[in-house]
Amino acid sequence: MAVFSLGVIVVVVIIAALFQMEVDYEPLIAEKTVVVQASNVDSFKVVADVPNFDKWINFITKINEMDNSRVGVGKSFEVHVHFPFIGENQYRLDITNYGPPKSLSFDADFELLLPRTIVEIKDGDMLGVSKITWRMYSKRRSYLFCGTVLPISRFIMTKQLQGALFRLKLQISHSL
């Protein structure tokens, strides 16, 4: 019985240590790039239209503006999402960088991941073509998170992002 108790104590101490120790960077959850037949300005208009994210991001069901201010740094949204097996939840999304027509960043208070999303729009290889790169990082940096939750989240969010960027590409082409 004492050996079992000692084993449990060792496991708890290791888990506690992994929870306290952190990597010195924000771990990448997902990154994808899509090339669209549109200018940076036209691409940015659709990417920065946060109230319409639900048209091309599957798990978002509704988005409400938290105030009547113009879209820019500090603008907040209430995002309703539906996750399989979890159900409907609400999160706050805050724009942290707004640089038309090249960049948009926002943070969400989704407690499990604490995601920070960075979107960059660059000129494509031809005139009238844009390259949109969407990166999602986590502000959670513990070794425990990086070894358990991050790999599963990376798999799920990479697949979700791939589909979302395909629908974003369609959304941009329909908006022209």
Side-chain angles (χ1 to χ4, degrees):
M1 188 65 159
V3 174
F4 177 73
S5 297
L6 182 61
V8 170
I9 291 171
V10 169
V11 169
V12 168
V13 168
I14 290 171
I15 290 172
L18 291 174
F19 182 74
Q20 293 297 317
M21 296 170 40
E22 293 186 340
V23 297
D24 60 354
Y25 57 89
E26 290 184 347
L28 181 67
I29 299 171
E31 175 180 9
K32 286 290 180 186
T33 299
V34 66
V35 176
V36 297
Q37 291 281 115
S39 69
N40 291 357
V41 172
D42 291 333
S43 296
F44 187 83
K45 284 179 188 174
V46 176
V47 168
D49 187 11
V50 177
N52 286 307
F53 274 11
D54 60 336
K55 290 182 178 176
W56 51 276
I57 300 178
N58 265 355
F59 55 86
I60 294 178
T61 57
K62 181 171 72 169
I63 299 178
N64 299 320
E65 295 184 39
M66 303 279 286
D67 57 51
N68 292 327
S69 65
R70 294 180 57 177
V71 175
V73 174
K75 177 77 173 173
S76 296
F77 299 88
E78 178 185 66
V79 180
H80 297 253
V81 297
H82 180 79
F83 294 113
F85 309 112
I86 297 173
E88 183 92 13
N89 287 299
Q90 298 172 16
Y91 302 102
R92 181 182 173 117
L93 184 145
D94 297 313
I95 295 179
T96 56
N97 174 38
Y98 186 78
K102 300 281 187 183
S103 63
L104 174 72
S105 302
F106 49 88
D107 292 349
D109 70 351
F110 176 47
E111 196 63 35
L112 180 65
L113 299 177
L114 291 179
R116 168 171 288 142
T117 301
I118 299 171
V119 183
E120 294 177 331
I121 302 173
K122 296 182 179 177
D123 293 328
D125 294 336
M126 299 182 303
L127 187 63
V129 173
S130 298
K131 189 164 97 171
I132 303 169
T133 301
W134 190 287
R135 292 182 188 92
M136 182 184 289
Y137 297 91
S138 176
K139 291 184 277 181
R140 294 221 178 269
R141 302 185 320 174
S142 76
Y143 280 104
L144 184 62
F145 171 82
C146 291
T148 56
V149 176
L150 183 62
I152 296 165
S153 300
R154 186 174 283 148
F155 175 78
I156 293 168
M157 294 310 296
T158 298
K159 296 297 180 189
Q160 288 290 329
L161 184 56
Q162 184 175 0
L165 290 184
F166 175 76
R167 288 183 296 280
L168 172 64
K169 187 174 183 174
L170 294 175
Q171 189 73 28
I172 290 172
S173 67
H174 289 354
S175 70
L176 298 177

